[in-house]
Amino acid sequence: MAKLLLLLLLFIFHGVESAPPPHSCDPSNPTTKLYQFCRTDLPISQRARDLVSRLNIDEKISQLGNTAPGIPRLGVPAYEWWSEALHGVAYAGPGIRFNGTVKAATSFPQVILTAASFDSYEWFRIAQVIGKEARGVYNAGQAQGMTFWAPNINIFRDPRWGRGQETPGEDPIMTGTYAVAYVRGLQGDSFDGRKTLSIHLQASACCKHFTAYDLDRWKGITRYVFNAQVSLADLAETYQPPFKKCIEEGRASGIMCAYNRVNGIPSCADPNLLTRTARGLWRFRGYITSDCDAVSIIHDAQGYAKTPEDAVADVLKAGMDVNCGSYLQKHTKSALQQKKVSETDIDRALLNLFSVRIRLGLFNGDPTKLPYGNISPNDVCSPAHQALALEAARNGIVLLKNNLKLLPFSKRSVSSLAVIGPNAHVAKTLLGNYAGPPCKTVTPLDALRSYVKNAVYHNGCDSVACSNAAIDQAVAIARNADHVVLIMGLDQTQEKEDMDRVDLSLPGKQQELITSVANAAKKPVVLVLICGGPVDISFATNNDKIGSIMWAGYPGEAGGIALAEIIFGDHNPGGRLPVTWYPQSFVNVQMTDMRMRSATGYPGRTYKFYKGPKVFEFGHGLSYSTYSYRFKTLGATNLYLNQSKAQLNSDSVRYTLVSEMGEEGCNIAKTKVIVTVENQGEMAGKHPVLMFARHERGGENGKRAEKQLVGFKSIVLSNGEKAEMEFEIGLCEHLSRANEVGVMVVEEGKYFLTVGDSELPLTINV
């Protein structure tokens, strides 16, 4: 009896060993040996083909939705394709549950702030952690899939876009670089991409939303019906490059096609986009999913397909593989009966789907006994991972203004602090959208109180919308404090998926509150903006009583700590804006106008083409130190392409086609430059160095970019330290532009490479 009681107590206090995560091909099952799809010595394509050949038509069709049922007779468990991991393993999507051993995951800054570090290796490390924690959740038996629908690599084209916060910003090269770093990190690749990933993925990344998707819901126009009219030049130069890099260099195992139409054709029903471009030209090897219910809207909302069966045929023949939703599961059988699709069309999709599941190790027996099987719940929210979340927040926060060096505050001399604003003490706001439950959060107020015990708080507004502001109370608090920190901005009630903004001002009475408090305070105040998209704060930039301004994005679980560290000088800010901040007058531009280049009566978009007033430039960011730059050449500054087929354009400028230069020609057409960077300040700092290029006729006629980011690197320098940074400039990759028909060309003439105020001329002879 005593022995039984002891066993019962052990069961109660220690539980039983958790069941392994769902998988196929258990070696203890004798039928496993009968199936080729279970044989790890065979090529993945052969294994997937064997599995598909064993399915009947109803089983095949059942696998075409994101929630794929199990096939018990073959030992194939149910699988969930939809999980999210934009900036940490998230609970959006049905694939992940935080209801067991793992109750939280590391919540990194929202992508737009992480991008502001301009540090691709940091981006890679963050994605590595997300992939590792995803596998840890799966190994704990709390996940039904290992396919994560991130990153979002659409261009942040319009400042009003509610989902701009999810992206790395407005520059195609930077966005493509982020895509490569994220995909490699999440999937278990090396930073340089040299690891072989044909057998085992740590997790599967999915680059979205393919393509030209950057409007959700604006003035009654929704993404479900929007027809993006995009020129061939803008497609080639702006919208497509991030996806090309994601596939060719990142080797992503997934793509998501978007809701919207592009030039009249739904993205998920466009064979030129999915099959000829992604799979053909870019050699994509993975699965393509629709956005959720994006197949149904092709018939129901857009009227592109006359019947549900036509919609099914359109997407399967275009090259899509799985539908987020149940539309294919409901209508493929009748489409087959009506001979609008063939079983071969279905098999093609299933081969892609099962190949990815095999690459994830889910048909190799118990995943916990395989590569990545040693990742446990203890690896989720580990101290090292939480430290990286803090590092990312520190490195992303951007100091926009710092008149008379108001910041950093002296820890010794600040005896009282007023902390005012609706974003000062709301932990959830720090996370942004597509977040999971964080390991822990510290609000900006609590973090500031760790520096100043006498910190008095008032929210100032009833909410971020600030329809009601307690201005008199906030002013009274401000008058009695040594210093004032206002923590304002936006939250997910103002900008998010399915909600674009209609203006660029701070909501409600926020501006009135800020100005009133600044006028009443003893000393110039600090304004902190927590928001994803840019806001017009010209009133604050021009007000001497607002001494410092910081943009903190949505800084993640450790964002409050990072803010306080920067305000009190324990960290030297170095982030730089990944988007242009436009004035309120920009709302006169139609959000539906997809043109990048300026034209008569149209100012253009992004730092590359926009001609108009700016609140802050792309790449703007201050530091507590000052940095100097000096160019030093390694290679030639006169480059000769020697192209016999050079042509003359309408501007009488000679050019050659990148396609005619070929891979070998493009590899030769490169030069190296060195930039000497010196920290001339008193504080050590991490500093992103941004190199731009411009043609001598840049911005002319709206055809050429005003300038183009061609490289960026981040460096840590002590006070007084200098270092050399090498950049390789490729004519095909960095100095080409798209002509009117979307063909990339390199033009002759003088170009100028710039870093800060330093400039290096570069001459190209065609």
Side-chain angles (χ1 to χ4, degrees):
M1 185 69 180
K3 189 174 182 180
L4 285 172
L5 183 61
L6 178 61
L7 288 172
L8 180 62
L9 289 171
L10 285 171
F11 178 84
I12 292 171
F13 288 105
H14 297 283
V16 293
E17 187 176 343
S18 61
H23 62 278
S24 299
C25 305
D26 192 322
S28 64
N29 187 335
T31 60
T32 292
K33 297 177 182 178
L34 303 176
Y35 301 140
Q36 283 192 19
F37 67 79
C38 290
R39 287 182 52 184
T40 58
D41 60 320
L42 295 177
I44 287 173
S45 60
Q46 185 177 338
R47 296 173 67 189
R49 199 173 300 113
D50 175 69
L51 176 52
V52 173
S53 72
R54 296 175 185 273
L55 305 181
N56 62 44
I57 192 61
D58 290 328
E59 289 169 335
K60 288 180 178 181
I61 292 171
S62 74
Q63 300 297 303
L64 296 176
N66 65 283
T67 303
I71 307 166
R73 67 183 183 84
L74 297 176
V76 177
Y79 187 81
E80 179 54 62
W81 287 92
W82 180 11
S83 296
E84 301 282 357
L86 183 70
H87 53 107
V89 181
Y91 40 38
I96 298 290
R97 304 178 307 277
F98 290 99
N99 60 353
T101 308
V102 179
K103 293 187 167 34
T106 308
S107 191
F108 291 94
Q110 181 59 288
V111 177
I112 193 67
L113 188 76
T114 292
S117 70
F118 284 85
D119 184 344
S120 59
Y121 187 61
E122 179 184 281
W123 303 340
F124 170 78
R125 289 164 58 213
I126 289 170
Q128 268 190 319
V129 166
I130 296 171
K132 186 173 185 179
E133 294 199 351
R135 184 61 78 159
V137 173
Y138 190 84
N139 289 345
Q142 293 178 227
Q144 284 293 111
M146 282 296 292
T147 38
F148 293 87
W149 291 351
N152 181 341
I153 56 169
N154 294 117
I155 297 299
F156 198 168
R157 170 188 63 94
D158 191 290
R160 293 162 286 189
W161 186 31
R163 300 188 73 176
Q165 60 180 291
E166 302 174 25
T167 76
E170 70 184 25
D171 181 74
I173 286 181
M174 179 183 175
T175 300
T177 303
Y178 179 88
V180 172
Y182 180 95
V183 170
R184 287 177 177 173
L186 188 93
Q187 294 192 162
D189 202 345
S190 55
F191 178 62
D192 60 11
R194 293 177 181 174
K195 191 173 177 181
T196 301
L197 288 178
S198 59
I199 299 174
H200 276 296
L201 296 172
Q202 176 175 249
S204 169
C206 174
C207 288
K208 64 184 186 184
H209 310 80
F210 196 39
T211 190
Y213 165 73
D214 47 23
L215 178 149
D216 269 62
R217 186 180 296 272
W218 178 78
K219 293 188 175 181
I221 301 168
T222 72
R223 55 186 173 170
Y224 309 114
V225 297
F226 179 51
N227 181 22
Q229 297 287 341
V230 186
S231 71
L232 294 174
D234 287 341
L235 267 177
E237 192 169 332
T238 299
Y239 296 108
Q240 295 289 66
F243 290 96
K244 186 173 188 287
K245 285 180 77 75
C246 166
I247 292 168
E248 291 187 334
E249 298 178 38
R251 295 184 290 175
S253 50
I255 302 173
M256 176 185 286
C257 49
Y259 288 113
N260 57 288
R261 289 170 288 167
V262 177
N263 298 330
I265 304 174
S267 294
C268 294
D270 188 349
N272 184 58
L273 189 66
L274 305 186
T275 298
R276 296 189 193 100
T277 301
R279 293 198 187 277
L281 293 177
W282 301 342
R283 299 178 183 177
F284 174 61
R285 299 294 179 264
Y287 78 99
I288 300 177
T289 179
S290 75
D291 208 334
C292 293
D293 295 321
V295 178
S296 67
I297 65 169
I298 292 173
H299 168 252
D300 300 341
Q302 297 172 355
Y304 181 84
K306 292 181 180 178
T307 67
E309 290 77 15
D310 287 330
V312 169
D314 286 340
V315 299
L316 285 178
K317 290 182 179 297
M320 198 196 81
D321 302 313
V322 65
N323 165 220
C324 178
S326 57
Y327 205 74
L328 288 188
Q329 291 165 323
K330 290 177 181 176
H331 298 292
T332 301
K333 187 74 172 282
S334 55
L336 190 64
Q337 291 166 343
Q338 295 173 26
K339 297 189 178 347
K340 293 187 174 181
V341 296
S342 67
E343 193 166 353
T344 302
D345 296 323
I346 298 168
D347 289 351
R348 178 207 56 75
L350 295 180
L351 286 172
N352 292 327
L353 295 174
F354 282 114
S355 292
V356 169
R357 288 172 66 174
I358 292 170
R359 291 179 66 193
L360 284 163
L362 307 184
F363 284 81
N364 297 352
D366 184 353
T368 61
K369 305 289 195 297
L370 299 169
Y372 309 116
N374 61 343
I375 300 174
S376 77
N378 294 331
D379 292 303
V380 184
C381 284
S382 70
H385 294 178
Q386 293 184 63
L388 182 59
L390 175 58
E391 180 185 337
R394 288 169 176 156
N395 294 337
I397 292 171
V398 181
L399 182 63
L400 298 171
K401 175 184 176 181
N402 197 27
N403 282 10
L404 303 176
K405 296 185 177 180
L406 174 63
L407 291 178
F409 288 159
S410 167
K411 298 171 199 171
R412 296 178 182 176
S413 62
V414 179
S415 59
S416 63
L417 187 68
V419 182
I420 298 168
N423 278 339
H425 198 44
V426 183
K428 185 179 179 181
T429 300
L430 301 176
L431 306 181
N433 68 352
Y434 280 94
C439 308
K440 61 183 179 184
T441 51
V442 177
T443 67
L445 173 64
D446 287 338
L448 289 167
R449 280 177 169 163
S450 70
Y451 285 91
V452 182
K453 291 182 179 179
N454 184 16
V456 181
Y457 162 67
H458 197 286
N459 61 8
C461 299
D462 54 347
S463 67
V464 163
C466 205
S467 54
N468 295 300
I471 293 176
D472 291 343
Q473 295 176 43
V475 163
I477 291 170
R479 281 199 181 108
N480 294 319
D482 282 350
H483 283 286
V484 177
V485 177
L486 287 146
I487 305 180
M488 314 296 288
L490 309 174
D491 64 10
Q492 301 307 300
T493 68
Q494 304 296 312
E495 54 173 356
K496 64 178 179 179
E497 184 172 10
D498 208 30
M499 180 190 290
D500 300 322
R501 288 184 288 160
V502 293
D503 63 54
L504 298 176
S505 301
L506 286 169
K509 297 181 179 179
Q510 283 199 37
Q511 179 174 333
E512 184 183 352
L513 173 66
I514 293 166
T515 304
S516 299
V517 167
N519 288 337
K522 297 176 183 176
K523 301 169 184 174
V525 302
V526 174
L527 173 61
V528 175
L529 297 169
I530 293 179
C531 55
V535 288
D536 184 352
I537 50 164
S538 303
F539 75 92
T541 61
N542 299 321
N543 186 342
D544 290 338
K545 293 186 177 181
I546 301 172
S548 296
I549 305 173
M550 277 194 290
W551 174 67
Y554 295 114
E557 65 174 44
I561 297 172
L563 266 172
E565 288 180 343
I566 291 171
I567 288 171
F568 281 94
D570 282 336
H571 182 78
N572 189 354
R576 305 180 73 168
L577 292 178
V579 289
T580 302
W581 281 35
Y582 301 86
Q584 170 66 15
S585 59
F586 192 83
V587 300
N588 295 321
V589 175
Q590 294 294 301
M591 194 173 173
T592 50
D593 194 326
M594 300 293 289
R595 288 177 296 168
M596 302 302 299
R597 290 160 169 77
S598 60
T600 303
Y602 181 72
R605 295 179 181 275
T606 77
Y607 78 93
K608 289 178 64 177
F609 300 107
Y610 174 65
K611 292 184 176 182
K614 305 177 186 76
V615 180
F616 293 110
E617 297 258 0
F618 172 92
H620 175 72
L622 306 175
S623 167
Y624 296 152
S625 297
T626 54
Y627 296 87
S628 66
Y629 315 97
R630 184 168 51 85
F631 273 101
K632 176 180 174 183
T633 59
L634 274 180
T637 56
N638 280 278
L639 297 174
Y640 297 86
L641 298 184
N642 297 323
Q643 290 292 312
S644 58
K645 297 181 180 179
Q647 303 174 52
L648 203 65
N649 66 19
S650 58
D651 297 334
S652 299
V653 175
R654 285 167 56 84
Y655 70 91
T656 188
L657 304 180
V658 170
S659 59
E660 290 190 352
M661 291 176 64
E663 186 176 347
E664 184 178 349
C666 287
N667 286 335
I668 294 171
K670 293 180 179 179
T671 190
K672 291 182 179 179
V673 296
I674 284 179
V675 178
T676 302
V677 185
E678 183 176 1
N679 181 349
Q680 297 179 328
E682 298 177 358
M683 286 184 70
K686 183 178 181 183
H687 182 61
V689 178
L690 277 56
M691 182 178 289
F692 295 90
R694 62 177 176 87
H695 191 273
E696 60 185 331
R697 295 172 70 173
E700 192 176 290
N701 301 324
K703 292 181 180 179
R704 299 176 189 85
E706 301 280 336
K707 61 180 179 179
Q708 165 65 54
L709 183 70
V710 295
F712 56 90
K713 293 183 178 181
S714 191
I715 189 169
V716 177
L717 293 173
S718 301
N719 57 311
E721 184 181 7
K722 66 174 65 174
E724 292 184 342
M725 305 183 76
E726 183 178 305
F727 293 83
E728 183 176 72
I729 305 301
L731 271 60
C732 297
E733 182 179 1
H734 300 117
L735 301 184
S736 61
R737 74 171 182 91
N739 65 13
E740 291 81 357
V741 293
V743 175
M744 300 305 293
V745 301
V746 178
E747 297 179 318
E748 72 173 3
K750 185 169 284 188
Y751 291 75
F752 297 92
L753 301 179
T754 61
V755 176
D757 295 330
S758 189
E759 188 173 83
L760 176 72
L762 192 68
T763 302
I764 297 177
N765 300 281
V766 176

